[in-house]
Amino acid sequence: MIVLDGVGMTYRAASGPVEALRSISFRVDGGELVALVGPSGCGKSTLLRIIAGLRPATTGRVAVGGHAVTGPVPAVGMVFQAPILLKWRRIVENVLLPAELAGLDPGAFRGRALELLRLVGLGDFADRLPRELSGGMQQRAALCRALLLDPPLLLMDEPFGALDAMTRDELNLELLRVWGEGSRTRKTIVFVTHSIVEAVFLADRVVVLTPRPGRVAELVPVPLPRPRTVETRASPAFGALALQIHLLLARSA
Amino acid sequence: MTRGALRRYVPSLVLFGALLLIWQVVPPLLRIREYLLPGPVAVVRAALNFSIPWHAHIWVTTLEILGGFALAGAGGVALGVAIAWSGTAARALVPFLVVVNTLPKVAVAPLFLLWLGYGVVPNMLIAALIGFFPVVINTAVGLTQIDEELLDLGRVFGAPKWKVFVKIRLPNALPYVLSALKITATAAVVGAIVGEFVASQAGLGMVIVNAQTNLNTPVAFAALAWISVIGLGLYGAVGLAARAWAPWADTP
Ligand SMILES: Nc1ncnc2c1ncn2[C@@H]1O[C@H](COP(=O)(O)OP(=O)(O)O)[C@@H](O)[C@H]1O
Ligand SMILES: [Mg+2]
């Protein structure tokens, strides 16, 4: 589904070049849920943008769905690190934005938008303006927006970073449901997080990145059984994987 | 109006009242003559003395102000959109606009009269000329000063340029435009009066010029009072529009 081959990225900032990523190579299979962990500033957001075709990589090749990425990749659901809701639109209208931008009839998606909002606990906030919601609530609305058109590929940049632990755990389970954990037709998800626990809980594989410039420190498979449940986190295998990733991060730091 | 809103205006109302009182009482004590500084009572009497055709003058001046305001608003937004839409348009227009804006409009006023003759239209144009520049700038800034991520949002969903413009850039610019229009509202008043000063057959500016030559200072002050009523009305209307159309904006 996604192939990264020797991807590097150097920003040309006013203060000089900043090498954010260096020779990143890995692939994500169709239906796979891959988590990206790494220290802050190691280029996780940059990598997600490159995969989405929002920024060209300085070096290397990127392909999504068998096509080389040269511009914005179609049919991607993207959750940015910040909610970036349109502050003049009510929450439900923000969720409907992808339909409008894609030239679809937003009326036809209204029911689905409200359903998604209910799913993430925002059913009562559909008609509020973004500034009336907390950061975590805004981020959940942004998640609904990304899911509106039911995209086969989801790129998520610390989507639950602003949430309290309990809501985060709930939404992790919800995300697995949306992904299609119990079904045969799964979405492909690349999920950036700085929480090792979240990465291990969700992912089929965890990509551990080094500090800047970000390189792949290790690709860690997560062979925990699915469907994952609240008990998954309590299993010894879970703890061993979390520790392994923790050590990898600590070693490369 | 709610009680709280009323209470908000109490300090300025008290100050206003105190100033009126001082203005009424102190000049006579200092033996300042009425033709130099008439008291508020004399001014109000003049303003409500309808042997002067106030309504006709108010109508003319209001028309000039509103016409100038509308022209400045529409022209300013159009130019701002052009500048934001195309780099070529920006490079072509901006230096030209800067030159036009630095021209002293008062000096241009006699030329407008020469070309267009007496009447409402040249004064409207002067009002528009004085007021349009902030609208151009704020429109262009509002359309371009936009979170890069908001534009990424448009690109992720494969929106064409015009759609991003209509759905994201334009609403983003609205508070900028509305706050420029507040400046324009005040500038249009200045422009209309300047035009009338230079030459006119009617209007509150002309009333002031005539009253000055006749040393009828209470009438000049009365005209001033009417001008500020019009100005405040327009400013207030723009403020209300801003609150109604851009309730998300932080600026009051
Ligand atoms: N637009 C930009 N211009 C210059 N440097 C940037 C830009 N965006 C990110 N960077 C730099 O690239 C590095 C990686 O950033 P980012 O991808 O946001 O990291 P992460 O998401 O892992 O925290 C950081 O050092 C950051 O300062
Ligand atoms: Mg980031």
Side-chain angles (χ1 to χ4, degrees):
Chain A
M1 182 73 186
I2 301 172
V3 180
L4 299 169
D5 183 10
V7 170
M9 175 73 187
T10 303
Y11 285 106
R12 317 226 155 276
S15 52
V18 178
E19 189 181 16
L21 295 169
R22 184 184 292 173
S23 55
I24 302 275
S25 299
F26 65 89
R27 38 184 305 147
V28 179
D29 292 326
E32 201 180 9
L33 201 168
V34 167
L36 233 53
V37 296
S40 167
C42 76
K44 304 182 293 294
S45 298
T46 302
L47 188 55
L48 227 48
R49 278 166 198 282
I50 290 172
I51 295 172
L54 294 175
R55 300 274 180 286
T58 323
T59 59
R61 294 186 315 112
V62 185
V64 172
H67 302 282
V69 173
T70 53
V73 176
V76 170
M78 184 127 181
V79 184
F80 294 88
Q81 192 164 355
I84 45 169
L85 300 173
L86 301 181
K87 51 183 183 271
W88 53 88
R89 284 176 166 242
R90 300 180 185 290
I91 293 299
V92 63
E93 292 162 351
N94 263 291
V95 175
L96 287 169
L97 183 72
E100 285 180 42
L101 290 180
L104 302 166
D105 170 24
F109 287 87
R110 204 175 172 84
R112 173 164 168 81
L114 292 170
E115 175 60 31
L116 284 167
L117 284 171
R118 252 194 307 280
L119 210 65
V120 299
L122 292 178
D124 295 336
F125 294 88
D127 290 323
R128 301 291 186 86
L129 287 174
R131 66 160 181 206
E132 298 176 76
L133 273 62
S134 72
M137 294 160 90
Q138 293 188 17
Q139 192 60 311
R140 278 180 272 163
L143 174 64
C144 295
R145 178 179 62 193
L147 293 175
L148 183 77
L149 300 181
D150 201 16
L153 173 59
L154 269 177
L155 303 175
M156 311 177 80
D157 197 350
E158 304 191 26
F160 306 138
L163 300 181
D164 61 277
M166 255 168 59
T167 317
R168 175 187 272 225
D169 290 353
E170 266 171 47
L171 286 178
N172 277 343
L173 286 168
E174 202 52 61
L175 177 67
L176 289 177
R177 216 185 55 74
V178 166
W179 172 51
E181 187 171 52
S183 85
R184 290 152 61 89
T185 53
R186 288 175 177 170
K187 296 177 185 305
T188 308
I189 298 182
V190 181
F191 188 100
V192 170
T193 175
H194 55 240
S195 158
I196 296 171
V197 170
E198 190 174 41
V200 175
F201 181 72
L202 292 173
D204 295 317
R205 270 188 310 150
V206 177
V207 179
V208 181
L209 296 173
T210 66
R212 203 187 69 203
R215 285 145 292 158
V216 177
E218 188 84 52
L219 297 170
V220 181
V222 182
L224 298 171
R226 292 192 185 271
R228 308 231 170 119
T229 62
V230 180
E231 288 79 47
T232 305
R233 288 195 193 88
S235 71
F238 187 96
L241 281 162
L243 179 62
Q244 182 192 350
I245 292 169
H246 179 82
L247 292 175
L248 280 166
L249 285 168
R251 181 158 20 110
S252 64
Chain B
M1 203 183 284
T2 64
R3 261 192 121 96
L6 267 179
R7 195 166 305 149
R8 203 151 59 89
Y9 290 112
V10 165
S12 61
L13 285 176
V14 168
L15 179 64
F16 188 62
L19 287 175
L20 282 181
L21 197 67
I22 294 170
W23 179 14
Q24 181 66 39
V25 173
V26 175
L29 295 177
L30 301 175
R31 295 175 195 286
I32 295 173
R33 301 272 198 70
E34 188 168 75
Y35 75 86
L36 286 177
L37 184 59
V41 172
V43 171
V44 169
R45 206 179 290 139
L48 300 177
N49 172 7
F50 288 100
S51 65
I52 301 164
W54 284 119
H55 53 277
H57 296 303
I58 289 170
W59 167 244
V60 166
T61 302
T62 305
L63 203 64
E64 290 166 357
I65 292 172
L66 289 183
F69 177 78
L71 276 175
V77 167
L79 286 167
V81 167
I83 287 171
W85 181 265
S86 125
T88 313
R91 281 188 292 279
L93 284 170
V94 170
F96 181 72
L97 291 175
V98 169
V99 169
V100 170
N101 187 53
T102 48
L103 285 178
K105 258 66 77 179
V106 189
V108 182
L111 291 174
F112 276 35
L113 290 162
L114 182 67
W115 296 330
L116 299 166
Y118 288 94
V120 171
V121 175
N123 293 347
M124 260 184 203
L125 287 179
I126 295 163
L129 204 57
I130 291 190
F132 85 105
F133 199 66
V135 185
V136 180
I137 296 302
N138 269 29
T139 304
V141 167
L143 290 171
T144 47
Q145 292 281 63
I146 190 158
D147 205 336
E148 191 62 33
E149 294 200 301
L150 281 179
L151 300 178
D152 278 346
L153 199 62
R155 308 208 296 138
V156 165
F157 296 118
K161 186 180 175 186
W162 68 267
K163 213 163 218 173
V164 171
F165 203 84
V166 172
K167 303 257 177 207
I168 298 179
R169 286 188 191 264
L170 226 47
N172 184 69
L174 190 56
Y176 292 82
V177 175
L178 287 168
S179 89
L181 286 179
K182 282 190 196 169
I183 303 170
T184 302
T186 331
V189 176
V190 175
I193 300 301
V194 162
E196 292 180 354
F197 277 1
V198 172
S200 56
Q201 290 157 319
L204 295 166
M206 187 212 70
V207 171
I208 292 179
V209 174
N210 288 352
Q212 183 199 19
T213 27
N214 304 333
L215 291 183
N216 193 350
T217 318
V219 168
F221 269 80
L224 207 56
W226 281 120
I227 291 168
S228 77
V229 167
I230 300 170
L232 280 175
L234 182 57
Y235 189 85
V238 176
L240 285 180
R243 220 169 302 166
W245 295 337
W248 68 87
D250 304 322
T251 47

